[in-house]
mmCIF file of all heavy atoms in Angstrom:
data_model
loop_
_atom_site.group_PDB
_atom_site.id
_atom_site.type_symbol
_atom_site.label_atom_id
_atom_site.label_comp_id
_atom_site.label_asym_id
_atom_site.label_seq_id
_atom_site.Cartn_x
_atom_site.Cartn_y
_atom_site.Cartn_z
ATOM 1 N N GLU A 26 -16.344 -7.988 17.055
ATOM 2 C CA GLU A 26 -15.011 -8.618 17.081
ATOM 3 C C GLU A 26 -14.127 -8.034 16.012
ATOM 4 O O GLU A 26 -12.893 -7.768 16.184
ATOM 5 C CB GLU A 26 -15.171 -10.127 16.905
ATOM 6 C CG GLU A 26 -13.843 -10.887 17.030
ATOM 7 C CD GLU A 26 -13.997 -12.361 16.846
ATOM 8 O OE1 GLU A 26 -15.207 -12.864 17.051
ATOM 9 O OE2 GLU A 26 -13.024 -13.054 16.520
ATOM 10 N N ALA A 27 -14.661 -7.823 14.801
ATOM 11 C CA ALA A 27 -13.972 -7.238 13.722
ATOM 12 C C ALA A 27 -13.351 -5.810 14.083
ATOM 13 O O ALA A 27 -12.219 -5.527 13.829
ATOM 14 C CB ALA A 27 -14.782 -7.174 12.404
ATOM 15 N N TRP A 28 -14.282 -5.046 14.685
ATOM 16 C CA TRP A 28 -13.834 -3.698 15.018
ATOM 17 C C TRP A 28 -12.760 -3.682 16.070
ATOM 18 O O TRP A 28 -11.831 -2.869 16.067
ATOM 19 C CB TRP A 28 -15.031 -2.810 15.406
ATOM 20 C CG TRP A 28 -15.967 -2.609 14.274
ATOM 21 C CD1 TRP A 28 -15.591 -2.480 12.918
ATOM 22 C CD2 TRP A 28 -17.354 -2.583 14.303
ATOM 23 N NE1 TRP A 28 -16.734 -2.309 12.155
ATOM 24 C CE2 TRP A 28 -17.840 -2.366 12.964
ATOM 25 C CE3 TRP A 28 -18.359 -2.671 15.315
ATOM 26 C CZ2 TRP A 28 -19.141 -2.291 12.589
ATOM 27 C CZ3 TRP A 28 -19.717 -2.542 14.946
ATOM 28 C CH2 TRP A 28 -20.107 -2.396 13.612
ATOM 29 N N LYS A 29 -12.854 -4.634 16.970
ATOM 30 C CA LYS A 29 -11.797 -4.815 18.031
ATOM 31 C C LYS A 29 -10.456 -5.205 17.317
ATOM 32 O O LYS A 29 -9.398 -4.599 17.748
ATOM 33 C CB LYS A 29 -12.194 -5.849 19.050
ATOM 34 C CG LYS A 29 -11.266 -6.085 20.199
ATOM 35 C CD LYS A 29 -11.894 -7.043 21.213
ATOM 36 C CE LYS A 29 -10.901 -7.324 22.394
ATOM 37 N NZ LYS A 29 -9.729 -8.078 22.013
ATOM 38 N N GLU A 30 -10.497 -6.097 16.404
ATOM 39 C CA GLU A 30 -9.332 -6.509 15.668
ATOM 40 C C GLU A 30 -8.701 -5.403 14.894
ATOM 41 O O GLU A 30 -7.428 -5.159 14.940
ATOM 42 C CB GLU A 30 -9.632 -7.672 14.690
ATOM 43 C CG GLU A 30 -10.118 -8.943 15.293
ATOM 44 C CD GLU A 30 -8.885 -9.685 15.976
ATOM 45 O OE1 GLU A 30 -7.741 -9.465 15.553
ATOM 46 O OE2 GLU A 30 -9.157 -10.477 16.894
ATOM 47 N N ILE A 31 -9.492 -4.567 14.260
ATOM 48 C CA ILE A 31 -8.954 -3.381 13.530
ATOM 49 C C ILE A 31 -8.319 -2.400 14.501
ATOM 50 O O ILE A 31 -7.195 -1.945 14.229
ATOM 51 C CB ILE A 31 -10.101 -2.692 12.743
ATOM 52 C CG1 ILE A 31 -10.579 -3.650 11.627
ATOM 53 C CG2 ILE A 31 -9.642 -1.341 12.143
ATOM 54 C CD1 ILE A 31 -11.857 -3.157 10.910
ATOM 55 N N GLU A 32 -8.998 -2.058 15.609
ATOM 56 C CA GLU A 32 -8.514 -1.152 16.542
ATOM 57 C C GLU A 32 -7.162 -1.624 17.132
ATOM 58 O O GLU A 32 -6.184 -0.877 17.246
ATOM 59 C CB GLU A 32 -9.571 -0.939 17.699
ATOM 60 C CG GLU A 32 -9.111 0.128 18.711
ATOM 61 C CD GLU A 32 -10.198 0.372 19.671
ATOM 62 O OE1 GLU A 32 -11.372 0.032 19.413
ATOM 63 O OE2 GLU A 32 -9.884 1.096 20.728
ATOM 64 N N GLU A 33 -7.061 -2.898 17.524
ATOM 65 C CA GLU A 33 -5.865 -3.437 18.096
ATOM 66 C C GLU A 33 -4.733 -3.446 17.076
ATOM 67 O O GLU A 33 -3.582 -3.170 17.393
ATOM 68 C CB GLU A 33 -6.068 -4.771 18.662
ATOM 69 C CG GLU A 33 -7.008 -4.802 19.878
ATOM 70 C CD GLU A 33 -7.301 -6.185 20.452
ATOM 71 O OE1 GLU A 33 -6.879 -7.180 19.755
ATOM 72 O OE2 GLU A 33 -7.848 -6.289 21.566
ATOM 73 N N ALA A 34 -4.997 -3.827 15.818
ATOM 74 C CA ALA A 34 -3.993 -3.872 14.798
ATOM 75 C C ALA A 34 -3.443 -2.469 14.551
ATOM 76 O O ALA A 34 -2.242 -2.242 14.301
ATOM 77 C CB ALA A 34 -4.560 -4.501 13.529
ATOM 78 N N ALA A 35 -4.392 -1.436 14.442
ATOM 79 C CA ALA A 35 -3.999 -0.102 14.209
ATOM 80 C C ALA A 35 -3.046 0.393 15.312
ATOM 81 O O ALA A 35 -2.038 1.041 15.038
ATOM 82 C CB ALA A 35 -5.184 0.805 14.066
ATOM 83 N N ALA A 36 -3.478 0.119 16.560
ATOM 84 C CA ALA A 36 -2.602 0.583 17.681
ATOM 85 C C ALA A 36 -1.231 -0.081 17.639
ATOM 86 O O ALA A 36 -0.209 0.528 17.832
ATOM 87 C CB ALA A 36 -3.339 0.213 19.003
ATOM 88 N N GLU A 37 -1.209 -1.375 17.372
ATOM 89 C CA GLU A 37 0.083 -2.083 17.259
ATOM 90 C C GLU A 37 0.935 -1.447 16.134
ATOM 91 O O GLU A 37 2.135 -1.313 16.338
ATOM 92 C CB GLU A 37 -0.148 -3.606 17.018
ATOM 93 C CG GLU A 37 1.086 -4.393 16.921
ATOM 94 C CD GLU A 37 0.807 -5.850 16.661
ATOM 95 O OE1 GLU A 37 -0.361 -6.309 16.794
ATOM 96 O OE2 GLU A 37 1.779 -6.605 16.314
ATOM 97 N N GLY A 38 0.319 -1.255 15.008
ATOM 98 C CA GLY A 38 1.149 -0.775 13.866
ATOM 99 C C GLY A 38 1.650 0.581 14.136
ATOM 100 O O GLY A 38 2.782 0.901 13.801
ATOM 101 N N VAL A 39 0.829 1.514 14.706
ATOM 102 C CA VAL A 39 1.276 2.875 15.003
ATOM 103 C C VAL A 39 2.416 2.879 16.048
ATOM 104 O O VAL A 39 3.340 3.617 15.954
ATOM 105 C CB VAL A 39 0.110 3.779 15.365
ATOM 106 C CG1 VAL A 39 0.602 5.135 15.880
ATOM 107 C CG2 VAL A 39 -0.819 3.958 14.189
ATOM 108 N N ARG A 40 2.252 2.044 17.019
ATOM 109 C CA ARG A 40 3.330 1.941 18.085
ATOM 110 C C ARG A 40 4.598 1.476 17.422
ATOM 111 O O ARG A 40 5.740 1.998 17.760
ATOM 112 C CB ARG A 40 2.886 0.966 19.186
ATOM 113 C CG ARG A 40 1.854 1.499 20.106
ATOM 114 C CD ARG A 40 1.629 0.593 21.342
ATOM 115 N NE ARG A 40 0.422 0.920 22.022
ATOM 116 C CZ ARG A 40 -0.678 0.166 21.990
ATOM 117 N NH1 ARG A 40 -0.704 -0.919 21.275
ATOM 118 N NH2 ARG A 40 -1.724 0.563 22.671
ATOM 119 N N ALA A 41 4.556 0.478 16.517
ATOM 120 C CA ALA A 41 5.740 0.022 15.904
ATOM 121 C C ALA A 41 6.359 1.163 15.028
ATOM 122 O O ALA A 41 7.653 1.278 15.011
ATOM 123 C CB ALA A 41 5.434 -1.140 14.960
ATOM 124 N N ALA A 42 5.599 1.976 14.368
ATOM 125 C CA ALA A 42 6.097 3.066 13.595
ATOM 126 C C ALA A 42 6.818 4.065 14.517
ATOM 127 O O ALA A 42 7.874 4.650 14.174
ATOM 128 C CB ALA A 42 5.012 3.751 12.856
ATOM 129 N N ALA A 43 6.224 4.287 15.658
ATOM 130 C CA ALA A 43 6.823 5.310 16.626
ATOM 131 C C ALA A 43 8.161 4.745 17.191
ATOM 132 O O ALA A 43 9.091 5.582 17.418
ATOM 133 C CB ALA A 43 5.870 5.581 17.773
ATOM 134 N N GLU A 44 8.279 3.495 17.348
ATOM 135 C CA GLU A 44 9.513 2.942 17.882
ATOM 136 C C GLU A 44 10.623 2.598 16.849
ATOM 137 O O GLU A 44 11.748 2.472 17.204
ATOM 138 C CB GLU A 44 9.157 1.677 18.699
ATOM 139 C CG GLU A 44 8.210 1.929 19.865
ATOM 140 C CD GLU A 44 7.663 0.618 20.443
ATOM 141 O OE1 GLU A 44 7.963 -0.456 19.877
ATOM 142 O OE2 GLU A 44 6.894 0.660 21.423
ATOM 143 N N GLY A 45 10.175 2.449 15.627
ATOM 144 C CA GLY A 45 11.092 2.094 14.521
ATOM 145 C C GLY A 45 11.795 3.293 13.919
ATOM 146 O O GLY A 45 11.552 4.440 14.246
ATOM 147 N N ARG A 46 12.673 2.990 13.013
ATOM 148 C CA ARG A 46 13.419 4.025 12.264
ATOM 149 C C ARG A 46 12.501 4.617 11.163
ATOM 150 O O ARG A 46 11.801 3.778 10.493
ATOM 151 C CB ARG A 46 14.654 3.469 11.650
ATOM 152 C CG ARG A 46 15.695 3.045 12.661
ATOM 153 C CD ARG A 46 16.813 2.259 12.049
ATOM 154 N NE ARG A 46 17.423 2.980 10.866
ATOM 155 C CZ ARG A 46 18.338 2.429 10.114
ATOM 156 N NH1 ARG A 46 18.731 1.139 10.274
ATOM 157 N NH2 ARG A 46 18.832 3.166 9.074
ATOM 158 N N PRO A 47 12.513 5.868 10.903
ATOM 159 C CA PRO A 47 11.753 6.457 9.813
ATOM 160 C C PRO A 47 12.173 5.877 8.460
ATOM 161 O O PRO A 47 13.376 5.497 8.294
ATOM 162 C CB PRO A 47 12.062 7.923 9.878
ATOM 163 C CG PRO A 47 12.596 8.182 11.224
ATOM 164 C CD PRO A 47 13.287 6.894 11.641
ATOM 165 N N ALA A 48 11.244 5.709 7.590
ATOM 166 C CA ALA A 48 11.508 5.219 6.201
ATOM 167 C C ALA A 48 12.268 6.331 5.453
ATOM 168 O O ALA A 48 12.097 7.531 5.678
ATOM 169 C CB ALA A 48 10.244 4.867 5.526
ATOM 170 N N GLU A 49 13.078 5.909 4.484
ATOM 171 C CA GLU A 49 13.814 6.813 3.652
ATOM 172 C C GLU A 49 13.049 6.968 2.346
ATOM 173 O O GLU A 49 12.710 5.956 1.670
ATOM 174 C CB GLU A 49 15.241 6.307 3.411
ATOM 175 C CG GLU A 49 16.120 6.279 4.636
ATOM 176 C CD GLU A 49 16.421 7.724 5.108
ATOM 177 O OE1 GLU A 49 16.510 8.659 4.266
ATOM 178 O OE2 GLU A 49 16.604 7.853 6.319
ATOM 179 N N PRO A 50 12.866 8.243 1.873
ATOM 180 C CA PRO A 50 12.182 8.396 0.560
ATOM 181 C C PRO A 50 13.057 7.761 -0.544
ATOM 182 O O PRO A 50 14.250 7.668 -0.417
ATOM 183 C CB PRO A 50 12.118 9.909 0.425
ATOM 184 C CG PRO A 50 12.224 10.434 1.833
ATOM 185 C CD PRO A 50 13.091 9.514 2.574
ATOM 186 N N ASP A 51 12.398 7.393 -1.605
ATOM 187 C CA ASP A 51 13.036 6.728 -2.768
ATOM 188 C C ASP A 51 12.465 7.262 -4.022
ATOM 189 O O ASP A 51 11.315 6.954 -4.323
ATOM 190 C CB ASP A 51 12.886 5.198 -2.599
ATOM 191 C CG ASP A 51 13.499 4.406 -3.723
ATOM 192 O OD1 ASP A 51 14.294 5.025 -4.505
ATOM 193 O OD2 ASP A 51 13.251 3.193 -3.870
ATOM 194 N N ASP A 52 13.333 7.989 -4.810
ATOM 195 C CA ASP A 52 12.831 8.538 -6.042
ATOM 196 C C ASP A 52 13.413 7.766 -7.299
ATOM 197 O O ASP A 52 13.410 8.277 -8.378
ATOM 198 C CB ASP A 52 13.060 10.006 -6.150
ATOM 199 C CG ASP A 52 14.551 10.302 -6.122
ATOM 200 O OD1 ASP A 52 15.393 9.396 -5.929
ATOM 201 O OD2 ASP A 52 14.925 11.524 -6.254
ATOM 202 N N ALA A 53 13.904 6.589 -7.071
ATOM 203 C CA ALA A 53 14.422 5.801 -8.113
ATOM 204 C C ALA A 53 13.335 5.426 -9.165
ATOM 205 O O ALA A 53 12.201 5.151 -8.751
ATOM 206 C CB ALA A 53 15.057 4.519 -7.630
ATOM 207 N N PRO A 54 13.696 5.434 -10.416
ATOM 208 C CA PRO A 54 12.675 5.089 -11.445
ATOM 209 C C PRO A 54 12.346 3.577 -11.371
ATOM 210 O O PRO A 54 13.175 2.760 -11.169
ATOM 211 C CB PRO A 54 13.360 5.424 -12.820
ATOM 212 C CG PRO A 54 14.817 5.362 -12.448
ATOM 213 C CD PRO A 54 14.985 5.793 -11.078
ATOM 214 N N ARG A 55 11.014 3.322 -11.551
ATOM 215 C CA ARG A 55 10.474 2.012 -11.555
ATOM 216 C C ARG A 55 9.644 1.836 -12.838
ATOM 217 O O ARG A 55 9.264 2.815 -13.533
ATOM 218 C CB ARG A 55 9.670 1.704 -10.387
ATOM 219 C CG ARG A 55 10.238 2.116 -9.014
ATOM 220 C CD ARG A 55 11.313 1.140 -8.527
ATOM 221 N NE ARG A 55 10.690 -0.115 -8.140
ATOM 222 C CZ ARG A 55 10.078 -0.320 -6.942
ATOM 223 N NH1 ARG A 55 10.056 0.641 -6.043
ATOM 224 N NH2 ARG A 55 9.592 -1.569 -6.671
ATOM 225 N N THR A 56 9.365 0.543 -13.193
ATOM 226 C CA THR A 56 8.599 0.271 -14.370
ATOM 227 C C THR A 56 7.193 -0.196 -13.991
ATOM 228 O O THR A 56 7.028 -1.159 -13.327
ATOM 229 C CB THR A 56 9.245 -0.762 -15.285
ATOM 230 O OG1 THR A 56 10.561 -0.317 -15.679
ATOM 231 C CG2 THR A 56 8.482 -1.097 -16.514
ATOM 232 N N LEU A 57 6.176 0.516 -14.473
ATOM 233 C CA LEU A 57 4.778 0.126 -14.275
ATOM 234 C C LEU A 57 4.287 -0.456 -15.613
ATOM 235 O O LEU A 57 4.456 0.166 -16.727
ATOM 236 C CB LEU A 57 3.953 1.359 -13.919
ATOM 237 C CG LEU A 57 2.444 1.176 -13.950
ATOM 238 C CD1 LEU A 57 1.981 0.203 -12.840
ATOM 239 C CD2 LEU A 57 1.717 2.521 -13.854
ATOM 240 N N ALA A 58 3.655 -1.598 -15.570
ATOM 241 C CA ALA A 58 2.953 -2.176 -16.733
ATOM 242 C C ALA A 58 1.545 -2.552 -16.342
ATOM 243 O O ALA A 58 1.258 -3.025 -15.234
ATOM 244 C CB ALA A 58 3.741 -3.452 -17.169
ATOM 245 N N VAL A 59 0.650 -2.278 -17.293
ATOM 246 C CA VAL A 59 -0.798 -2.596 -17.071
ATOM 247 C C VAL A 59 -1.373 -3.289 -18.208
ATOM 248 O O VAL A 59 -1.205 -2.839 -19.389
ATOM 249 C CB VAL A 59 -1.604 -1.281 -16.814
ATOM 250 C CG1 VAL A 59 -3.050 -1.547 -16.513
ATOM 251 C CG2 VAL A 59 -1.027 -0.396 -15.711
ATOM 252 N N ARG A 60 -1.999 -4.454 -18.026
ATOM 253 C CA ARG A 60 -2.679 -5.203 -19.117
ATOM 254 C C ARG A 60 -4.156 -4.931 -19.008
ATOM 255 O O ARG A 60 -4.815 -5.193 -17.988
ATOM 256 C CB ARG A 60 -2.382 -6.656 -18.990
ATOM 257 C CG ARG A 60 -2.981 -7.499 -20.076
ATOM 258 C CD ARG A 60 -2.516 -8.915 -20.092
ATOM 259 N NE ARG A 60 -3.066 -9.741 -21.143
ATOM 260 C CZ ARG A 60 -2.651 -9.766 -22.391
ATOM 261 N NH1 ARG A 60 -1.651 -9.037 -22.768
ATOM 262 N NH2 ARG A 60 -3.267 -10.550 -23.314
ATOM 263 N N TRP A 61 -4.762 -4.432 -20.071
ATOM 264 C CA TRP A 61 -6.175 -4.035 -20.132
ATOM 265 C C TRP A 61 -6.989 -5.127 -20.769
ATOM 266 O O TRP A 61 -6.423 -5.917 -21.655
ATOM 267 C CB TRP A 61 -6.305 -2.693 -20.899
ATOM 268 C CG TRP A 61 -5.472 -1.641 -20.298
ATOM 269 C CD1 TRP A 61 -4.209 -1.302 -20.589
ATOM 270 C CD2 TRP A 61 -5.900 -0.713 -19.244
ATOM 271 N NE1 TRP A 61 -3.822 -0.210 -19.830
ATOM 272 C CE2 TRP A 61 -4.831 0.097 -19.027
ATOM 273 C CE3 TRP A 61 -7.100 -0.511 -18.644
ATOM 274 C CZ2 TRP A 61 -4.870 1.186 -18.066
ATOM 275 C CZ3 TRP A 61 -7.198 0.508 -17.638
ATOM 276 C CH2 TRP A 61 -6.101 1.323 -17.390
ATOM 277 N N GLN A 62 -8.237 -5.166 -20.525
ATOM 278 C CA GLN A 62 -9.130 -6.032 -21.256
ATOM 279 C C GLN A 62 -9.243 -5.611 -22.705
ATOM 280 O O GLN A 62 -9.397 -6.395 -23.652
ATOM 281 C CB GLN A 62 -10.543 -6.066 -20.617
ATOM 282 C CG GLN A 62 -11.475 -7.138 -21.265
ATOM 283 C CD GLN A 62 -12.869 -7.013 -20.756
ATOM 284 O OE1 GLN A 62 -13.504 -5.976 -20.846
ATOM 285 N NE2 GLN A 62 -13.317 -8.049 -20.104
ATOM 286 N N SER A 63 -9.226 -4.307 -22.932
ATOM 287 C CA SER A 63 -9.451 -3.776 -24.266
ATOM 288 C C SER A 63 -8.172 -3.292 -24.926
ATOM 289 O O SER A 63 -7.486 -2.504 -24.393
ATOM 290 C CB SER A 63 -10.422 -2.605 -24.175
ATOM 291 O OG SER A 63 -10.527 -1.838 -25.369
ATOM 292 N N ALA A 64 -7.927 -3.716 -26.181
ATOM 293 C CA ALA A 64 -6.825 -3.207 -26.922
ATOM 294 C C ALA A 64 -6.939 -1.717 -27.251
ATOM 295 O O ALA A 64 -5.953 -1.070 -27.448
ATOM 296 C CB ALA A 64 -6.606 -4.051 -28.210
ATOM 297 N N SER A 65 -8.191 -1.217 -27.318
ATOM 298 C CA SER A 65 -8.412 0.178 -27.629
ATOM 299 C C SER A 65 -7.854 1.064 -26.573
ATOM 300 O O SER A 65 -7.297 2.122 -26.825
ATOM 301 C CB SER A 65 -9.928 0.462 -27.801
ATOM 302 O OG SER A 65 -10.441 -0.219 -28.866
ATOM 303 N N VAL A 66 -7.925 0.632 -25.284
ATOM 304 C CA VAL A 66 -7.365 1.466 -24.225
ATOM 305 C C VAL A 66 -5.843 1.578 -24.434
ATOM 306 O O VAL A 66 -5.279 2.629 -24.302
ATOM 307 C CB VAL A 66 -7.765 0.819 -22.874
ATOM 308 C CG1 VAL A 66 -6.998 1.553 -21.739
ATOM 309 C CG2 VAL A 66 -9.184 0.860 -22.636
ATOM 310 N N ALA A 67 -5.190 0.448 -24.633
ATOM 311 C CA ALA A 67 -3.714 0.376 -24.787
ATOM 312 C C ALA A 67 -3.345 1.284 -25.945
ATOM 313 O O ALA A 67 -2.329 1.996 -25.884
ATOM 314 C CB ALA A 67 -3.273 -1.002 -24.969
ATOM 315 N N GLN A 68 -4.052 1.189 -27.034
ATOM 316 C CA GLN A 68 -3.748 2.044 -28.189
ATOM 317 C C GLN A 68 -3.830 3.555 -27.890
ATOM 318 O O GLN A 68 -2.982 4.307 -28.325
ATOM 319 C CB GLN A 68 -4.677 1.687 -29.403
ATOM 320 C CG GLN A 68 -4.431 2.582 -30.625
ATOM 321 C CD GLN A 68 -5.250 2.129 -31.763
ATOM 322 O OE1 GLN A 68 -4.738 1.474 -32.696
ATOM 323 N NE2 GLN A 68 -6.522 2.446 -31.764
ATOM 324 N N GLN A 69 -4.905 3.956 -27.193
ATOM 325 C CA GLN A 69 -5.005 5.433 -26.820
ATOM 326 C C GLN A 69 -3.947 5.800 -25.888
ATOM 327 O O GLN A 69 -3.402 6.953 -26.001
ATOM 328 C CB GLN A 69 -6.428 5.632 -26.270
ATOM 329 C CG GLN A 69 -7.535 5.460 -27.260
ATOM 330 C CD GLN A 69 -7.382 6.401 -28.472
ATOM 331 O OE1 GLN A 69 -7.122 7.581 -28.275
ATOM 332 N NE2 GLN A 69 -7.590 5.827 -29.607
#
């Protein structure tokens, strides 16, 4: 049943991509922040 769900979802998604408008690339700067367990990692 799981494999059937995956197959059907993949087919639906790909069909939607074929019928929809292509996405536009975006090179705008964004901010990435990461919180580590170790302060040593952040320091390095």
Side-chain angles (χ1 to χ4, degrees):
E26 182 179 341
W28 294 326
K29 182 174 182 288
E30 293 287 335
I31 292 171
E32 184 172 345
E33 291 178 349
E37 181 182 347
V39 171
R40 287 192 194 103
E44 295 168 359
R46 293 169 54 187
E49 293 293 329
D51 180 8
D52 61 357
R55 311 282 292 276
T56 300
L57 169 68
V59 184
R60 182 171 180 82
W61 304 88
Q62 185 187 60
S63 169
S65 296
V66 174
Q68 177 174 257
Q69 293 299 317

